[in-house]
Amino acid sequence: MSERMTGRVAIVSGAASGIGRAVAERFQAEGAIVIGGDVQSVDTPFELIALDVRDDAEWARVFERAAEFGPVTAVVNVAGTTGWQG
């Protein structure tokens, strides 16, 4: 793998499994610091934070954590929901 993402900070939602996890792992392999978010709690090779994508406060917490490593340079939203909670 190249190191083209070295020094960059990426947030990936839906990062506990499937496409989200694959994206997060690839970013990490390319040198990025990855903060993943998901409603599932599983072991990952990157930091995974509880995130319900419908909750603005949880998004704020994920961005605050990611910003501790530097400016956020990539955000990938892979998570989805089947209903609106308003």
Side-chain angles (χ1 to χ4, degrees), residues 14-32:
S17 63
I19 294 169
R21 184 169 181 145
V23 169
E25 288 177 349
R26 180 59 184 252
F27 276 6
Q28 187 176 46
E30 295 285 346

Side-chain angles (χ1 to χ4, degrees), residues 41-75:
S41 177
V42 298
D43 288 332
T44 60
F46 49 86
E47 184 171 351
L48 186 67
I49 297 175
L51 172 64
D52 179 338
V53 295
R54 300 171 295 180
D55 189 325
D56 291 343
E58 290 188 12
W59 272 112
R61 190 179 73 252
V62 170
F63 270 89
E64 286 172 9
R65 177 63 179 142
E68 292 177 21
F69 298 98
V72 175
T73 55
V75 178

